[in-house]
Amino acid sequence: MDSSVRGFRVRSQMSGGGENGFCTLMEFVGKGGADVGDDLVVLLAHLQYAAKRIAALVASPFNSSLEKQSGVAAGGGGGSGSERDTPKPLDIVSNEIIRSSLQNSCKVAVMASEEDDAPVWLTDGGSFVVVTDPLDGSRNIDASIPTGTIFGIYNRLVELDHLPVEERALLNSLQSGTRLVAAGYVLYSSATILCASFGLGTHAFTLDHSTGDFILTHPNIKIPPRGQIYSVNDARYFDWPEGLRRYIDTVRQGKGRYPKKYSARYICSLVADFHRTLMYGGVAMNPRDHLRLVYEANPLSFLVEQAGGRGSDGKSRILSLQPVKLHQRRPLFLGSSEDMEELESYGDVQQKVNPGYEV
């Protein structure tokens, strides 16, 4: 355990903060812990509230009737065409929950979401910009497969305040990942886990349903420098470029730099696959131009780098890329530093063709 976090837990015990001395998310980010600033503490309080509402929604036995209640056709409304996936009722409700929570915080100027065609200007005096995928993996929810929420937080660019609202909302949302103030995801699974970084390590908090608090359970996560798991859709093997096929063939035969055979683990839920990779090491990847740079690739790359790993599009560091469109897609490779170095050494790992698949 990191000494600063361990020291904070001791201070928490001495001050009586938290049952049995355990550190909550709000205690961790407050003045006695990471001290991220009052405005960000307020924003995080509203984000965790939204996460708890979405967790309850995902676990509800009434999800099957949500489509009728919401009046949204499951196959309708792709928004801006091919740049966005067709939203499902749970996506839309989750998006509304997050937007409402951010607006109520009065700390967010702009929200940019996978479920909206364009960024939404929320509060003129807001200090932050939030980018989000409200409910990643929702297509799997009927099978009770884990889902998640992804978010990234930037400072508002005050130098753009003179521009028209739509223009400054968009430009605020297209900041490079190197400017992230904080990022995180919420995993809705057997436990609800909120994993976040504020630029000083990556930390995970587990929801205690008896108190409603997110409790620090995984302080200062360090992804192993080498794993033994790769996570990718193997069904598309014959569409992959030669470099990626050679890499996968090599490591699963135990003929790579790490002389053990790799195992395949693939859930097809980005947050779940990434969370496992963060815990156990290895590589999680989608080699196609499929995952969104702004609200998926950037936040998760920030988290993995803060844990000692790497995020790449197969050629370049994700956080160094300058977004040019809100729903811009890139290949995404996330994982252990040594595994990522070995993968990139094969050169040709970005999939350029995608025949015969709708998603």
Coordinates of all heavy atoms in Angstrom, one line a residue, residues 234-281:
D234 N -11.2 -13.0 -30.9 CA -10.4 -14.0 -31.7 C -11.2 -14.3 -33.0 O -10.6 -14.8 -33.9 CB -10.1 -15.2 -30.9 CG -8.8 -15.1 -30.2 OD1 -7.9 -14.4 -30.6 OD2 -8.6 -15.8 -29.2
A235 N -12.5 -14.2 -33.0 CA -13.3 -14.5 -34.2 C -12.9 -13.7 -35.4 O -13.1 -14.1 -36.5 CB -14.8 -14.4 -33.9
R236 N -12.2 -12.6 -35.2 CA -11.8 -11.8 -36.3 C -10.4 -12.0 -36.7 O -9.8 -11.1 -37.4 CB -12.1 -10.3 -36.0 CG -13.6 -10.1 -35.7 CD -14.0 -8.7 -35.5 NE -15.4 -8.6 -35.1 CZ -16.1 -7.5 -35.0 NH1 -15.5 -6.3 -35.1 NH2 -17.4 -7.5 -34.7
Y237 N -9.8 -13.1 -36.3 CA -8.4 -13.4 -36.5 C -8.0 -13.2 -38.0 O -7.0 -12.6 -38.3 CB -8.1 -14.8 -36.0 CG -6.7 -15.3 -36.3 CD1 -5.7 -15.1 -35.4 CD2 -6.4 -16.0 -37.5 CE1 -4.4 -15.6 -35.6 CE2 -5.2 -16.5 -37.7 CZ -4.2 -16.3 -36.8 OH -2.9 -16.7 -37.0
F238 N -8.9 -13.7 -38.9 CA -8.5 -13.7 -40.3 C -8.6 -12.3 -40.9 O -8.2 -12.1 -42.1 CB -9.3 -14.7 -41.1 CG -8.9 -16.1 -40.6 CD1 -9.8 -16.8 -39.8 CD2 -7.7 -16.7 -41.0 CE1 -9.5 -18.1 -39.4 CE2 -7.4 -18.0 -40.6 CZ -8.3 -18.7 -39.7
D239 N -9.2 -11.4 -40.2 CA -9.3 -10.0 -40.7 C -8.1 -9.1 -40.2 O -8.0 -8.0 -40.6 CB -10.6 -9.3 -40.3 CG -11.8 -10.0 -40.9 OD1 -11.7 -10.6 -42.0 OD2 -12.9 -10.1 -40.2
W240 N -7.4 -9.7 -39.2 CA -6.3 -8.9 -38.6 C -5.1 -8.8 -39.5 O -4.9 -9.6 -40.4 CB -5.8 -9.7 -37.3 CG -6.7 -9.7 -36.2 CD1 -7.8 -9.0 -36.0 CD2 -6.6 -10.6 -35.1 NE1 -8.5 -9.3 -34.8 CE2 -7.7 -10.3 -34.2 CE3 -5.7 -11.6 -34.7 CZ2 -7.9 -11.0 -33.0 CZ3 -5.9 -12.2 -33.5 CH2 -7.0 -11.9 -32.7
P241 N -4.3 -7.7 -39.4 CA -3.1 -7.6 -40.1 C -2.1 -8.7 -39.7 O -2.2 -9.2 -38.6 CB -2.6 -6.2 -39.8 CG -3.2 -5.9 -38.4 CD -4.5 -6.6 -38.4
E242 N -1.1 -8.9 -40.5 CA -0.1 -9.9 -40.3 C 0.6 -9.8 -38.9 O 0.9 -10.7 -38.2 CB 1.0 -9.9 -41.4 CG 2.1 -11.0 -41.2 CD 1.6 -12.4 -41.2 OE1 0.5 -12.7 -41.8 OE2 2.3 -13.2 -40.7
G243 N 1.0 -8.5 -38.6 CA 1.7 -8.3 -37.3 C 0.9 -8.7 -36.1 O 1.5 -9.4 -35.2
L244 N -0.4 -8.4 -36.1 CA -1.2 -8.8 -34.9 C -1.4 -10.3 -34.9 O -1.3 -10.9 -33.8 CB -2.5 -8.1 -35.0 CG -3.5 -8.3 -33.8 CD1 -2.8 -7.9 -32.5 CD2 -4.8 -7.6 -34.0
R245 N -1.6 -10.9 -36.0 CA -1.7 -12.4 -36.0 C -0.4 -13.1 -35.5 O -0.5 -14.0 -34.7 CB -2.0 -12.9 -37.4 CG -3.5 -12.6 -37.9 CD -3.9 -13.6 -39.0 NE -3.0 -13.5 -40.1 CZ -3.2 -12.8 -41.2 NH1 -4.2 -11.9 -41.2 NH2 -2.3 -12.8 -42.2
R246 N 0.7 -12.6 -35.9 CA 2.0 -13.2 -35.5 C 2.2 -13.0 -34.0 O 2.6 -13.9 -33.3 CB 3.2 -12.5 -36.3 CG 3.3 -13.1 -37.7 CD 4.7 -12.7 -38.3 NE 4.8 -11.2 -38.4 CZ 5.7 -10.5 -37.7 NH1 6.4 -11.1 -36.8 NH2 5.8 -9.2 -37.9
Y247 N 1.8 -11.8 -33.5 CA 1.9 -11.6 -32.0 C 1.1 -12.5 -31.2 O 1.5 -13.2 -30.3 CB 1.5 -10.1 -31.7 CG 1.4 -9.9 -30.2 CD1 2.5 -9.8 -29.4 CD2 0.2 -9.8 -29.6 CE1 2.4 -9.7 -28.0 CE2 0.0 -9.7 -28.2 CZ 1.2 -9.6 -27.4 OH 1.0 -9.4 -26.1
I248 N -0.2 -12.7 -31.6 CA -1.1 -13.5 -30.9 C -0.7 -15.0 -31.0 O -0.7 -15.8 -30.0 CB -2.6 -13.4 -31.4 CG1 -3.1 -12.0 -31.0 CG2 -3.5 -14.4 -30.7 CD1 -3.2 -11.6 -29.6
D249 N -0.3 -15.4 -32.2 CA 0.2 -16.8 -32.4 C 1.4 -17.1 -31.5 O 1.5 -18.2 -30.9 CB 0.6 -17.0 -33.8 CG -0.6 -17.1 -34.8 OD1 -1.7 -17.3 -34.3 OD2 -0.4 -17.0 -36.0
T250 N 2.3 -16.1 -31.4 CA 3.5 -16.3 -30.7 C 3.3 -16.4 -29.2 O 3.8 -17.3 -28.5 CB 4.5 -15.1 -30.9 OG1 4.8 -15.1 -32.3 CG2 5.8 -15.2 -30.2
V251 N 2.5 -15.5 -28.6 CA 2.3 -15.5 -27.1 C 1.4 -16.6 -26.7 O 1.6 -17.2 -25.6 CB 1.8 -14.1 -26.6 CG1 2.8 -13.0 -26.9 CG2 0.4 -13.8 -27.2
R252 N 0.5 -17.1 -27.5 CA -0.3 -18.2 -27.0 C 0.4 -19.5 -27.1 O -0.1 -20.5 -26.5 CB -1.7 -18.2 -27.7 CG -1.8 -18.4 -29.1 CD -3.2 -18.2 -29.6 NE -3.4 -18.4 -31.0 CZ -4.5 -18.1 -31.7 NH1 -5.5 -17.6 -31.0 NH2 -4.6 -18.2 -33.0
Q253 N 1.4 -19.5 -27.9 CA 2.3 -20.7 -27.9 C 3.4 -20.7 -26.9 O 4.2 -21.7 -26.8 CB 2.9 -20.9 -29.3 CG 1.9 -21.2 -30.4 CD 2.6 -21.3 -31.8 OE1 3.2 -22.3 -32.1 NE2 2.4 -20.3 -32.6
G254 N 3.5 -19.6 -26.2 CA 4.6 -19.5 -25.2 C 5.9 -19.3 -25.8 O 7.0 -19.6 -25.3
K255 N 6.0 -18.6 -27.0 CA 7.2 -18.4 -27.7 C 7.6 -17.0 -27.8 O 8.5 -16.6 -28.5 CB 7.1 -19.0 -29.2 CG 6.9 -20.5 -29.2 CD 6.8 -21.0 -30.6 CE 6.7 -22.5 -30.7 NZ 6.5 -23.0 -32.0
G256 N 6.9 -16.1 -27.0 CA 7.3 -14.7 -26.9 C 8.4 -14.4 -26.0 O 9.1 -15.3 -25.5
R257 N 8.5 -13.2 -25.6 CA 9.6 -12.8 -24.6 C 9.3 -13.3 -23.3 O 10.2 -13.5 -22.5 CB 9.6 -11.2 -24.6 CG 10.0 -10.6 -25.9 CD 10.1 -9.1 -25.8 NE 10.3 -8.4 -27.1 CZ 10.2 -7.1 -27.3 NH1 10.0 -6.3 -26.2 NH2 10.4 -6.6 -28.5
Y258 N 8.0 -13.6 -23.0 CA 7.7 -14.2 -21.7 C 7.4 -15.7 -22.0 O 6.4 -16.0 -22.7 CB 6.4 -13.5 -21.1 CG 6.0 -13.9 -19.8 CD1 6.9 -13.9 -18.7 CD2 4.7 -14.3 -19.5 CE1 6.5 -14.3 -17.4 CE2 4.3 -14.7 -18.2 CZ 5.2 -14.6 -17.2 OH 4.8 -15.0 -15.9
P259 N 8.2 -16.6 -21.5 CA 8.1 -18.0 -22.0 C 7.0 -18.8 -21.3 O 7.2 -19.9 -20.8 CB 9.5 -18.6 -21.6 CG 9.9 -17.8 -20.4 CD 9.3 -16.4 -20.6
K260 N 5.8 -18.3 -21.3 CA 4.6 -19.0 -20.8 C 3.5 -18.8 -21.8 O 3.4 -17.7 -22.5 CB 4.2 -18.5 -19.4 CG 5.1 -18.9 -18.3 CD 4.5 -18.6 -17.0 CE 5.5 -19.0 -15.8 NZ 4.9 -18.7 -14.5
K261 N 2.6 -19.8 -22.0 CA 1.5 -19.7 -22.9 C 0.4 -18.7 -22.3 O 0.0 -18.9 -21.2 CB 0.9 -21.1 -23.2 CG 1.8 -22.0 -23.9 CD 1.1 -23.4 -24.1 CE 2.1 -24.3 -24.9 NZ 1.4 -25.6 -25.1
Y262 N 0.0 -17.8 -23.2 CA -1.0 -16.8 -22.8 C -2.4 -17.4 -22.9 O -2.6 -18.3 -23.8 CB -0.9 -15.6 -23.6 CG 0.1 -14.6 -23.2 CD1 1.4 -15.0 -22.8 CD2 -0.1 -13.2 -23.0 CE1 2.4 -14.1 -22.4 CE2 0.8 -12.3 -22.6 CZ 2.1 -12.8 -22.3 OH 3.0 -11.9 -21.8
S263 N -3.3 -17.0 -22.1 CA -4.7 -17.4 -22.2 C -5.5 -16.3 -22.7 O -5.2 -15.1 -22.6 CB -5.2 -17.8 -20.8 OG -4.5 -18.9 -20.2
A264 N -6.6 -16.6 -23.4 CA -7.6 -15.6 -23.9 C -8.7 -15.5 -23.0 O -9.3 -16.4 -22.5 CB -8.1 -16.0 -25.3
R265 N -9.0 -14.2 -22.7 CA -10.2 -13.9 -21.8 C -10.9 -12.7 -22.5 O -10.3 -11.6 -22.6 CB -9.8 -13.5 -20.4 CG -9.1 -14.6 -19.6 CD -10.1 -15.7 -19.2 NE -9.4 -16.7 -18.4 CZ -8.8 -17.8 -18.8 NH1 -8.7 -18.0 -20.1 NH2 -8.2 -18.6 -18.0
Y266 N -12.1 -12.8 -22.9 CA -12.8 -11.7 -23.7 C -14.2 -11.7 -23.3 O -15.0 -12.7 -23.5 CB -12.6 -11.9 -25.2 CG -13.2 -10.8 -26.0 CD1 -12.8 -9.5 -25.9 CD2 -14.2 -11.1 -26.9 CE1 -13.3 -8.5 -26.7 CE2 -14.8 -10.1 -27.7 CZ -14.3 -8.8 -27.5 OH -14.9 -7.8 -28.3
I267 N -14.7 -10.6 -22.7 CA -16.1 -10.4 -22.2 C -16.9 -9.6 -23.2 O -18.1 -9.8 -23.3 CB -16.1 -9.7 -20.9 CG1 -15.3 -10.6 -19.8 CG2 -17.5 -9.5 -20.4 CD1 -15.1 -9.9 -18.5
C268 N -16.2 -8.8 -24.1 CA -16.9 -7.9 -25.0 C -17.6 -6.8 -24.2 O -18.6 -6.3 -24.6 CB -17.8 -8.6 -25.9 SG -18.3 -7.6 -27.3
S269 N -17.1 -6.5 -23.1 CA -17.5 -5.3 -22.3 C -16.2 -4.6 -21.9 O -15.4 -5.1 -21.2 CB -18.3 -5.8 -21.0 OG -18.6 -4.6 -20.2
L270 N -16.0 -3.4 -22.5 CA -14.7 -2.7 -22.4 C -14.3 -2.5 -21.0 O -13.2 -2.8 -20.6 CB -14.8 -1.4 -23.1 CG -13.6 -0.5 -23.1 CD1 -12.3 -1.2 -23.6 CD2 -13.8 0.8 -23.8
V271 N -15.2 -2.0 -20.1 CA -14.9 -1.8 -18.7 C -14.5 -3.1 -18.0 O -13.5 -3.1 -17.3 CB -16.0 -1.1 -18.0 CG1 -15.8 -1.0 -16.5 CG2 -16.2 0.3 -18.5
A272 N -15.2 -4.1 -18.2 CA -14.9 -5.4 -17.6 C -13.6 -6.0 -18.1 O -12.7 -6.4 -17.2 CB -16.0 -6.4 -17.8
D273 N -13.3 -6.0 -19.4 CA -12.1 -6.5 -19.9 C -10.9 -5.6 -19.4 O -9.8 -6.1 -19.1 CB -12.1 -6.5 -21.4 CG -12.9 -7.7 -22.0 OD1 -12.7 -8.8 -21.4 OD2 -13.7 -7.5 -22.9
F274 N -11.1 -4.3 -19.4 CA -10.0 -3.4 -18.9 C -9.8 -3.6 -17.4 O -8.6 -3.6 -16.9 CB -10.4 -1.9 -19.2 CG -9.4 -1.0 -18.6 CD1 -8.1 -0.9 -19.2 CD2 -9.7 -0.2 -17.5 CE1 -7.2 0.0 -18.7 CE2 -8.7 0.7 -17.0 CZ -7.5 0.8 -17.6
H275 N -10.8 -3.7 -16.6 CA -10.6 -3.9 -15.2 C -9.8 -5.2 -14.8 O -8.9 -5.2 -14.0 CB -12.0 -4.0 -14.5 CG -11.9 -4.1 -13.0 ND1 -11.6 -3.1 -12.1 CD2 -12.2 -5.2 -12.2 CE1 -11.6 -3.5 -10.9 NE2 -11.9 -4.8 -10.9
R276 N -10.2 -6.3 -15.5 CA -9.4 -7.5 -15.3 C -7.9 -7.3 -15.7 O -7.0 -7.8 -15.0 CB -10.0 -8.7 -16.1 CG -9.3 -10.0 -15.9 CD -9.6 -11.0 -17.0 NE -9.4 -10.5 -18.3 CZ -10.3 -10.2 -19.2 NH1 -11.5 -10.4 -19.0 NH2 -9.9 -9.7 -20.4
T277 N -7.7 -6.6 -16.8 CA -6.3 -6.4 -17.3 C -5.6 -5.5 -16.3 O -4.4 -5.8 -16.0 CB -6.3 -5.7 -18.7 OG1 -7.1 -6.5 -19.6 CG2 -4.9 -5.5 -19.2
L278 N -6.2 -4.5 -15.7 CA -5.6 -3.7 -14.7 C -5.2 -4.5 -13.5 O -4.2 -4.3 -12.9 CB -6.6 -2.6 -14.3 CG -6.0 -1.3 -13.6 CD1 -5.0 -0.6 -14.4 CD2 -7.2 -0.4 -13.2
M279 N -6.0 -5.4 -13.1 CA -5.8 -6.2 -11.9 C -4.7 -7.3 -12.1 O -3.8 -7.5 -11.3 CB -7.1 -6.9 -11.4 CG -8.2 -6.0 -10.9 SD -7.7 -5.2 -9.4 CE -7.4 -3.5 -10.1
Y280 N -4.8 -8.0 -13.3 CA -3.9 -9.2 -13.5 C -2.8 -9.0 -14.5 O -1.9 -9.8 -14.6 CB -4.8 -10.3 -14.0 CG -5.9 -10.7 -13.0 CD1 -7.1 -11.3 -13.5 CD2 -5.8 -10.6 -11.7 CE1 -8.1 -11.6 -12.6 CE2 -6.8 -10.9 -10.8 CZ -7.9 -11.5 -11.3 OH -8.9 -11.8 -10.4
G281 N -2.9 -7.9 -15.3 CA -1.8 -7.7 -16.3 C -2.2 -8.3 -17.6 O -3.2 -9.0 -17.8

